Amino acid sequence: MNKDHNVGAAARQFQICGEFCNAMPYGSGHINDTYRAEFRHAGVSAHYILQRINSNIFKNPAAVMENIQRVTDHLAAQVAGEPDSRRRVLSLIPTRDGRSWHVDAEAGHWRAYHFIDNARTYDAVESTEQAFQAGKAFGHFQRLLVGLPTPRLHDTIPDFHHTPKRFAALQQAIAADVAGRAILAKPEIEFALARQSITGVLLDANLPERVTHNDTKFNNVMLDDASGEGICVIDLDTVMPGLVAYDFGDMVRTTTSSTREDEQDLSKVTMQFPMFEALARGYLASAGGFLTKEEKQYLAFAGKLITFEIGIRFLTDYLAGDTYFKVHREGHNLDRCRTQFKLIESIEQQEEKMKCLVESI
Ligand code: ADP
Ligand code: GN1
Ligand code: MG
């Protein structure tokens, strides 16, 4: 736990009944600080999720929270009446003075969510059924947000999935080489520079803007312990206007390889076609109804593009001295970059087959 954070003090600012007992760091996110807090009320203990938003990265936390409040309200209204509806959408707990977030004495922005019991996330996929469920849950999420009333959501991180700008940032990091690491990442730099031509493909394709999640990692969907169903899409910080292809692509990136994102044994990293098939079938089962022909056409390609985008972001951060993503060991960002690039090679070998499959569904 980050020693500087008084999670108890923050947790007590929310409308949670009972006594705060403890809080432990939770999950494996790279940006925010997530805790599971325990409260005790009338002899019964209950859990809550407390999160401190990383305001170095989300420069306007109020805009993030406004987006999340609007999106969760809309989703909750859509699923009301369905069995288990309260476990299907994240639900913010208001502060004692009725706001969606709390600002502490160090200007840290905190939010609290009701805890979704009897479900969990996985850092690595274990079965094709899980891949199907993840695709279906994210597709359903997008579909329910097609009718989100105006105004447009805030762009909480401008150009978040602007791959050409991410590429330009990499070129700058290579030129600056502030940490003196370019020499250690020569093959990765060459790999990246050879693929500049794909960076603009989705932005140039004139695809419709939608409300998208933008961080559709496999570990951002909770799977029900009993049924295995993808019950709730979480981690909504980056919900904003975007392209569905980037969302689907990030599902491919994180759900088709059975390794974690920072696997060091690259021989284990491959795009497993059966996982891709299950993911695409799940996604199209829920999103197929609203996608245009053009959007569908780019789904298979999107897996390669976003894997490239995230790979070059890891590489850029490695070259910049690890200032963006949390790292837990020497060379962590370079390891992450390597898994992404290995996955791209595997996708490149199977790209035609992936395209044909999507067309056939
Ligand atoms: P991060 O940005 O740190 O990835 P997430 O919002 O994904 O943050 O949350 C981290 C982990 O906490 C998730 O992987 C999930 O296991 C758990 N989690 C998040 N929200 C809830 C919730 N409402 N109920 C239960 N567990 C949750
Ligand atoms: C970050 O917070 P987390 O771990 O869900 C990042 C994503 C990356 C991801 C790579 C705001 O997501 O864009 O795809 O790491 N989030 C932000 O694992 O930059
Ligand atoms: Mg997460």
Side-chain angles (χ1 to χ4, degrees), residues 26-27 29 32 34 49 51 90 113-116 121 219-220 222 234-235:
Y26 209 59
N32 294 324
T34 301
I49 290 289
Q51 286 180 318
L90 281 178
Y113 285 119
H114 288 283
F115 197 85
I116 298 167
T121 53
N219 68 10
N220 282 333
M222 300 202 65
I234 61 167
D235 209 343

Side-chain angles (χ1 to χ4, degrees), residues 226-288:
S227 65
E229 182 189 357
I231 189 115
C232 186
V233 167
I234 61 167
D235 209 343
L236 306 181
D237 294 287
T238 51
V239 174
M240 58 183 152
L243 303 180
V244 291
Y246 276 110
D247 268 7
F248 182 74
D250 213 30
M251 297 174 218
V252 175
R253 177 180 82 81
T254 56
T255 311
T256 63
S257 171
S258 56
T259 66
R260 288 167 184 260
E261 197 175 56
D262 58 0
E263 173 63 55
Q264 287 175 296
D265 179 353
L266 294 180
S267 71
K268 293 186 185 154
V269 180
T270 57
M271 203 298 293
Q272 302 173 95
F273 193 78
M275 293 293 181
F276 177 77
E277 174 163 4
L279 179 73
R281 288 192 187 282
Y283 177 68
L284 290 172
S286 52

Side-chain angles (χ1 to χ4, degrees), residues 29-31 58 160 215 217 235 253 261 310 313 324-325:
H30 299 333
I31 310 289
F58 294 101
F160 191 58
D215 188 10
K217 289 208 272 201
D235 209 343
R253 177 180 82 81
E261 197 175 56
I310 307 296
R313 287 178 61 197
Y324 188 96
F325 298 104

Side-chain angles (χ1 to χ4, degrees), residues 94-309:
T95 60
R96 299 203 177 273
D97 56 3
R99 300 168 65 94
S100 308
W101 71 93
H102 161 67
V103 184
D104 67 19
E106 283 82 43
H109 286 62
W110 292 84
R111 63 173 167 243
Y113 285 119
H114 288 283
F115 197 85
I116 298 167
D117 280 307
N118 305 318
R120 54 167 289 208
T121 53
Y122 298 76
D123 285 334
V125 68
E126 293 174 356
S127 66
T128 50
E129 176 58 20
Q130 286 187 342
F132 180 88
Q133 289 297 333
K136 190 165 165 226
F138 283 122
H140 184 61
F141 177 89
Q142 289 177 343
R143 185 169 69 76
L144 294 182
L145 289 170
V146 167
L148 183 76
T150 51
R152 195 174 175 270
L153 291 175
H154 302 290
D155 289 300
T156 48
I157 301 184
D159 296 324
F160 191 58
H161 287 311
H162 194 300
T163 319
K165 288 192 180 171
R166 299 289 189 182
F167 189 85
L170 170 67
Q171 288 174 309
Q172 279 167 17
I174 297 168
D177 194 19
V178 292
R181 291 174 171 177
I183 185 82
L184 303 171
K186 256 183 116 198
E188 290 75 23
I189 290 173
E190 270 168 30
F191 183 98
L193 295 181
R195 283 165 179 75
Q196 181 171 12
S197 63
I198 63 171
T199 57
V201 171
L202 289 180
L203 296 185
D204 294 343
N206 208 15
L207 298 168
E209 181 180 282
R210 308 242 184 221
V211 175
T212 50
H213 184 283
N214 297 303
D215 188 10
T216 52
K217 289 208 272 201
F218 181 61
N219 68 10
N220 282 333
V221 58
M222 300 202 65
L223 303 182
D224 184 82
D225 290 339
S227 65
E229 182 189 357
I231 189 115
C232 186
V233 167
I234 61 167
D235 209 343
L236 306 181
D237 294 287
T238 51
V239 174
M240 58 183 152
L243 303 180
V244 291
Y246 276 110
D247 268 7
F248 182 74
D250 213 30
M251 297 174 218
V252 175
R253 177 180 82 81
T254 56
T255 311
T256 63
S257 171
S258 56
T259 66
R260 288 167 184 260
E261 197 175 56
D262 58 0
E263 173 63 55
Q264 287 175 296
D265 179 353
L266 294 180
S267 71
K268 293 186 185 154
V269 180
T270 57
M271 203 298 293
Q272 302 173 95
F273 193 78
M275 293 293 181
F276 177 77
E277 174 163 4
L279 179 73
R281 288 192 187 282
Y283 177 68
L284 290 172
S286 52
F290 76 84
L291 296 181
T292 63
K293 205 171 116 248
E294 289 71 30
E295 284 177 305
K296 220 179 134 184
Q297 260 170 15
Y298 283 99
L299 292 181
F301 168 77
K304 178 169 80 172
L305 185 63
I306 195 142
T307 308
F308 184 66
E309 182 184 289

Side-chain angles (χ1 to χ4, degrees), residues 62-82:
V64 171
M65 293 310 298
E66 266 178 47
N67 280 0
I68 294 180
Q69 187 74 68
R70 283 183 58 203
V71 163
T72 53
D73 285 350
H74 182 77
L75 293 172
Q78 306 278 301
V79 304
E82 281 181 24

